[in-house]
Amino acid sequence: MENTPLNEIKNVLKKGQRRNLFIITIVVILLFAFKPWVQIGAGERGVVQNFGAVQETVLNEGIHFKIPIVQTVVLMDVKIQKAMTDAASSSSDLQDVDLSVALNYHIIPDKANLVYQTIGVEFKERIIDPAIQEVMKAVSARYTAEELITKRPAVSTEMQQALTSRLLASNISVDAFSIISFSFSQTFTDAIEAKQTAEQNALKAKRDLDRIRVEAEQTIAAATAEAEALRLQKMNISPDLIELRKIEANLKAIEKWNGILPQVTGAGAVPFIGVGDAIKNK
């Protein structure tokens, strides 16, 4: 009988522990069922809705609490994304042009709620692709087909500026833009190749003509120099110089003479018969 109050206390404590465990279990189940928190990952923003109405608050990265049933949070990706688009357009000289471009863009983080409210999560299909198509056609129509090739950096810059202005109105920022390729009709491609070949041939012909002209000028210069040298030599010739040259020639002939007189001299003259033998006998 003495242990009855103690047993009753133990029973009450056991019942209290079971009750507390039951309550804790119910609370845990409710927490997981209603999940009153949300985790925002890296490169994301949370758009808060109260019974479906978009709020001005945009949740940053991390864990945030929300009111179960009342509030829901939609995750929006604000990292840089890439869109590749092909478009067919025409140049100002009515040449068919097929373009392929790449665009890097991202949602302005603080405006993620407005993008979700006005466009939704399918903003690429609704805004990005149509904007690229329209800008590509509008810009390419202001250039000839040849200018699209020769002025490619200017064309790319103009397209990027036009896209930046157009998408900024939808709270989307352009990070980079590049033209991947231009392609034209086969007829135009053949015409461009023929033109380049003609220009190369014309340049080669011009170079050959310049080379021939230089060689002719060199020949004329050499002939002029030679004629001038002859003129100067003629100016230096005098009767005394001629006489001196004759004397020098005679002296050289005397030095080479072996002392034998010719036996015949002159045409029709009387030959020196026996003169050579007489000289030898002496």
Side-chain angles (χ1 to χ4, degrees), residues 14-282:
K14 289 180 179 180
K15 290 179 180 180
Q17 290 176 353
R18 293 194 189 98
R19 187 183 302 110
N20 292 336
L21 181 61
F22 177 76
I23 293 173
I24 292 173
T25 302
I26 294 298
V27 170
V28 170
I29 293 174
L30 291 175
L31 286 175
F32 279 97
F34 292 102
K35 193 179 179 181
W37 72 86
V38 63
Q39 182 176 352
I40 311 298
E44 294 179 334
R45 292 295 184 273
V47 178
V48 181
Q49 299 180 90
N50 289 347
F51 293 110
V54 176
Q55 304 300 303
E56 295 182 358
T57 302
V58 177
L59 302 180
N60 295 322
E61 301 170 2
I63 295 179
H64 303 269
F65 289 97
K66 64 178 183 177
I67 303 174
I69 301 176
V70 176
Q71 291 183 328
T72 56
V73 177
V74 178
L75 299 180
M76 295 288 288
D77 192 346
V78 297
K79 295 189 293 293
I80 295 177
Q81 303 182 52
K82 181 179 181 179
M84 296 185 63
T85 304
D86 297 329
S89 60
S90 298
S91 60
S92 62
D93 54 351
L94 302 181
Q95 294 291 337
D96 294 331
V97 185
D98 293 326
L99 300 94
S100 180
V101 302
L103 174 70
N104 289 346
Y105 66 93
H106 70 275
I107 296 174
I108 298 176
D110 295 340
K111 304 295 182 180
N113 56 338
L114 297 178
V115 173
Y116 180 79
Q117 187 177 32
T118 58
I119 304 173
V121 295
E122 298 178 351
F123 48 85
K124 179 181 182 297
E125 293 77 9
R126 295 180 180 179
I127 298 296
I128 304 295
D129 291 341
I132 293 176
Q133 291 278 347
E134 182 174 347
V135 167
M136 289 168 65
K137 293 178 179 179
V139 174
S140 62
R142 290 196 287 271
Y143 292 86
T144 65
E146 186 175 354
E147 287 174 340
L148 289 175
I149 299 174
T150 58
K151 299 181 179 180
R152 182 168 178 165
V155 175
S156 179
T157 300
E158 186 173 345
M159 287 184 177
Q160 181 172 350
Q161 291 175 349
L163 280 171
T164 299
S165 176
R166 183 182 179 90
L167 296 180
L168 192 60
S170 300
N171 299 302
I172 297 174
S173 178
V174 172
D175 298 290
F177 177 85
S178 59
I179 298 175
I180 298 175
S181 65
F182 281 120
S183 60
F184 303 92
S185 64
Q186 188 62 41
T187 302
F188 178 77
T189 302
D190 293 340
I192 289 294
E193 291 179 355
K195 181 179 179 181
Q196 290 177 344
T197 301
E199 290 177 350
Q200 290 174 356
N201 292 336
L203 182 59
K204 181 179 181 299
K206 183 178 181 301
R207 289 176 178 173
D208 292 340
L209 182 60
D210 292 340
R211 176 180 56 79
I212 294 171
R213 183 181 296 109
V214 170
E215 291 177 352
E217 290 176 353
Q218 291 175 345
T219 302
I220 293 172
T224 302
E226 185 177 357
E228 181 66 16
L230 291 174
R231 187 184 67 83
L232 293 175
Q233 288 180 3
K234 289 181 179 180
M235 290 177 62
N236 293 328
I237 294 175
S238 64
D240 294 337
L241 181 61
I242 295 174
E243 189 64 26
L244 178 61
R245 292 289 183 266
K246 288 181 179 180
I247 294 171
E248 290 176 350
N250 292 332
L251 290 175
K252 290 182 180 179
I254 292 172
E255 290 176 356
K256 295 181 179 179
W257 183 48
N258 57 5
I260 300 174
L261 293 173
Q263 296 180 2
V264 180
T265 178
V270 178
F272 297 144
I273 299 173
V275 175
D277 295 336
I279 295 172
K280 289 179 180 179
N281 293 329
K282 290 180 179 180

